[in-house]
Amino acid sequence: MALSEMNSNLFRMINNLGKQYTDLNPFFVFIAEYMIFFLVLAVLMFLFSRSNKNRIMVISAFIVLVISEILAKIAGQFHSNYQPFAELPNVNKLVEKAVNNSFPSDHTIIFFSFCITFWLFKRGWGFLWGILAVLVGISRIWVGVHYPADVLVGAIISIVSAMIVYKIVLKLSLTKKFLRNQGVGEQSILSALSKQKKGQSKDY
């Protein structure tokens, strides 16, 4: 089976769920269209908090987003496709979307860039940010505006970018200075660096 056929079949499988479970459609429409406003609010709260660590986290997320968008533009030069509702019949289209190149998904890139960066910095319950990013990606398929490949490639680009930026930022002397000023001791910084080296496979 060709990859394009697998992509279309998986899209149908997810998108058709909206026809079977219509009560869930408002939830996925909300996630797909309006969760972005809650992300913006969270970013502003972290940015204007008194925590230097939160500010570093948000700045890192913006860097991840810029890098991811550049990589996405490059990926779009090698492959392109229109939205599923513009290419396939009988798509359960639940939101309005202009027809253009949907590969990879910009919406997915935005959420994965911020949510995965927040997860890396917060740890613990920070995994909830990762769950939110996954939900957004699925919702874009559910409402009919992206193929699974659009979402998957956008997520991979953002995750890899976030991991690289996190490693670099944590090792910067300026970052250590900000964390010390915030009251984070040298031992905590060294511990975080140690976890990167010794528990890399476990953390990521």
Side-chain angles (χ1 to χ4, degrees):
M1 183 182 294
L3 290 176
S4 59
E5 188 177 351
M6 291 176 59
N7 192 30
S8 296
N9 289 343
L10 184 55
F11 167 78
R12 288 292 193 190
M13 186 184 305
I14 297 173
N15 183 251
N16 284 342
L17 290 175
K19 299 177 181 179
Q20 300 176 40
Y21 305 100
T22 56
D23 289 343
L24 292 177
N25 286 340
F27 170 76
F28 282 101
V29 168
F30 177 83
I31 295 293
E33 289 287 278
Y34 303 108
M35 189 55 69
I36 187 72
F37 297 110
F38 288 89
L39 179 63
V40 170
L41 180 60
V43 168
L44 292 175
M45 289 176 62
F46 284 135
L47 187 61
F48 293 105
S49 70
R50 295 182 179 181
S51 169
N52 285 333
K53 182 179 180 181
N54 285 344
R55 295 191 188 99
I56 292 171
M57 179 180 71
V58 171
I59 293 171
S60 297
F62 274 111
I63 294 172
V64 171
L65 178 59
V66 171
I67 294 173
S68 298
E69 286 290 354
I70 292 173
L71 294 175
K73 295 300 181 185
I74 295 174
Q77 297 300 312
F78 291 93
H79 174 80
S80 65
N81 53 253
Y82 292 130
Q83 284 76 12
F85 65 80
E87 296 185 337
L88 302 175
N90 303 319
V91 169
N92 187 34
K93 181 187 175 188
L94 301 177
V95 299
E96 291 300 319
K97 185 78 170 63
V99 177
N100 51 30
N101 180 19
S102 69
F103 180 88
S105 166
D106 286 328
H107 220 82
T108 301
I109 288 173
I110 292 172
F111 271 88
F112 271 85
S113 293
F114 280 94
C115 292
I116 298 302
T117 302
F118 291 174
W119 184 359
L120 291 172
F121 272 89
K122 293 294 185 181
R123 300 305 169 97
W125 287 97
F127 76 91
L128 293 175
W129 288 107
I131 292 176
L132 174 61
V134 171
L135 274 175
V136 169
I138 293 174
S139 73
R140 302 299 287 179
I141 304 170
W142 186 289
V143 301
V145 297
H146 279 294
Y147 288 102
D150 301 341
V151 171
L152 180 61
V153 172
I156 291 173
I157 289 173
S158 300
I159 291 171
V160 172
S161 299
M163 292 172 64
I164 293 173
V165 170
Y166 175 73
K167 285 184 177 181
I168 294 174
V169 167
L170 200 62
K171 292 180 179 178
L172 293 176
S173 58
L174 182 61
T175 302
K176 297 177 183 178
K177 179 180 177 181
F178 273 122
L179 293 178
R180 288 195 195 98
N181 290 342
Q182 188 64 34
V184 179
E186 179 71 22
Q187 188 61 38
S188 298
I189 299 170
L190 292 175
S191 176
L193 290 173
S194 177
K195 287 180 180 179
Q196 275 192 351
K197 297 177 180 178
K198 297 180 180 180
Q200 191 174 34
S201 61
K202 180 180 179 181
D203 289 340
Y204 307 123

